[in-house]
Amino acid sequence: MNVEFPPDLLLRLKSANHVAVLTGAGTSAESGVPTFRDAQTGLWAKYDPQELATPQAFRHNPALVWDWYTWRRSLVAKAKPNAGHFALAQMSSYVPEFTLITQNVDGLHQQAGSLDVIELHGNIMHTKCFNCGRPVDEYQGTGESPPRCPYCDGLLRPDVVWFGENLTEYALSRAFLAARDCDIFLSIGTSSVTLPAASLPVEAMELGTSTVEINPDRTPLTPHMTYVLAGPSGVLLPKLIHATWPD
Ligand code: BV8
Ligand code: ZN
């Protein structure tokens, strides 16, 4: 794939003091992790992820939701970071200030070496109690699904943010600060429909900050982006890095 980047994009990236990046499930697609809105496979094909990733679904059928996350955890456990993840880790070493905000719950940015990743939606490999909220990463596989909390005997759940649940104040405030402070904002591999994450690039746009979308498909924000790079992040990001910092 021969790619010509707009010269002023490369200049802006190279001269940026603060680069902010928001990633979505598309950045993990080339690692074999199905994107959030991809058709789910096998026995999960008949479920809409948006219906399962809610406290209501967990209350209604805790075993089903727990088993869905156990299936997704098995996919994530086998996944390895792809060239896009490594390129973002590399980019952070080229710029004075770099903020990586992710909607993903798969931990692949950290595995690729990115530090201080803002996980807006939590991490699928972490577990907490649905009742008392304590983190419970060690629990006996009692055979019960979901397992129970050793502190209050409540049901355990993945430590992710479900639809209808608030994001943690800490993650959200840091993400908005970066969107407001950065010189260029890259929105990579996200369908830009989930809020409040999708309002981060808008925050930057409204301040006149240059914004870049990297996605093979169009999203509702595509028409508003300063630059649109249509293609897979695992291919485009390494090329963008090489074109911006060739030596
Ligand atoms: C909140 C963790 C306040 C769990 C996730 C009505 C009622 C109630 C709420 C709402 C409502 N209307 C709006 C809301 C708010 C709601 C929302 O945004 N709903 C939308 C979807 C309609 N948001 C919330 O509820 C948030 N909380 O607002 O709290 C509140 C409180 C009470 C009541 C109301 C509000 C919580 C949102 C977080 C939900 N949890 N994940 C889990 O993972 O199981 S979000 C979920 O979507 C995933 O984390 C995912 O990361 C995220 C965003 O999706 P994307 O990452 O964009 O992935 P997607 O599959 O959609 O797109 C992939 C993209 O990649 C595509 O564009 C594709 O083209 C592209 N792609 C494919 N291959 C590649 C690629 N790109 C690059 N390279 C490739 N190779
Ligand atoms: Zn508990």
Side-chain angles (χ1 to χ4, degrees), residues 8 24 29 61 79 81 83 85 109-110 117 128 130 137 143 164 166 170 175 187 197 204 211 218-219 223 235 241-242:
D8 49 335
N61 190 337
H85 294 108
H109 286 301
Q110 293 91 322
V117 179
K128 69 179 180 183
F130 187 67
D137 278 325
N166 286 308
Y170 178 64
S187 183
T211 53
R218 293 178 64 79
T219 77
V235 172
I241 299 258
H242 182 68

Side-chain angles (χ1 to χ4, degrees), residues 74-125:
S74 70
L75 295 182
V76 166
K78 284 185 282 206
K80 294 275 171 283
N82 63 60
H85 294 108
F86 289 113
L88 289 172
Q90 195 187 1
M91 190 187 287
S92 63
S93 65
Y94 291 143
V95 297
E97 191 175 356
F98 185 83
T99 307
L100 179 54
I101 307 154
T102 189
Q103 299 171 87
N104 301 340
V105 295
D106 57 30
L108 289 177
H109 286 301
Q110 293 91 322
Q111 278 187 49
S114 289
L115 304 173
D116 199 15
V117 179
I118 300 174
E119 291 183 310
L120 289 181
H121 299 156
N123 187 307
I124 199 168
M125 301 314 261

Side-chain angles (χ1 to χ4, degrees), residues 206-219:
E206 285 172 352
L207 293 169
T209 304
S210 299
T211 53
V212 188
E213 182 175 72
I214 299 179
N215 193 321
D217 302 333
R218 293 178 64 79
T219 77

Side-chain angles (χ1 to χ4, degrees), residues 35-37 40 44 46-72 103-105 121-122 124 128 130 157-167 194-195:
T35 66
F36 197 72
R37 288 171 178 80
Q40 299 210 91
W44 301 107
K46 59 178 179 283
Y47 295 100
D48 170 3
Q50 217 154 286
E51 299 299 318
L52 284 179
T54 65
Q56 294 81 354
F58 187 77
R59 280 193 204 92
H60 176 69
N61 190 337
L64 178 77
V65 174
W66 178 264
D67 291 349
W68 180 50
Y69 279 92
T70 301
W71 173 67
R72 287 177 61 196
Q103 299 171 87
N104 301 340
V105 295
H121 299 156
I124 199 168
K128 69 179 180 183
F130 187 67
R157 56 163 286 179
D159 191 0
V160 297
V161 179
W162 278 333
F163 288 99
E165 292 185 321
N166 286 308
L167 281 64
T194 301
L195 295 172

Side-chain angles (χ1 to χ4, degrees), residues 1 3 213-217 228-232 236:
M1 183 181 190
V3 185
E213 182 175 72
I214 299 179
N215 193 321
D217 302 333
V228 176
L229 308 179
L236 289 180

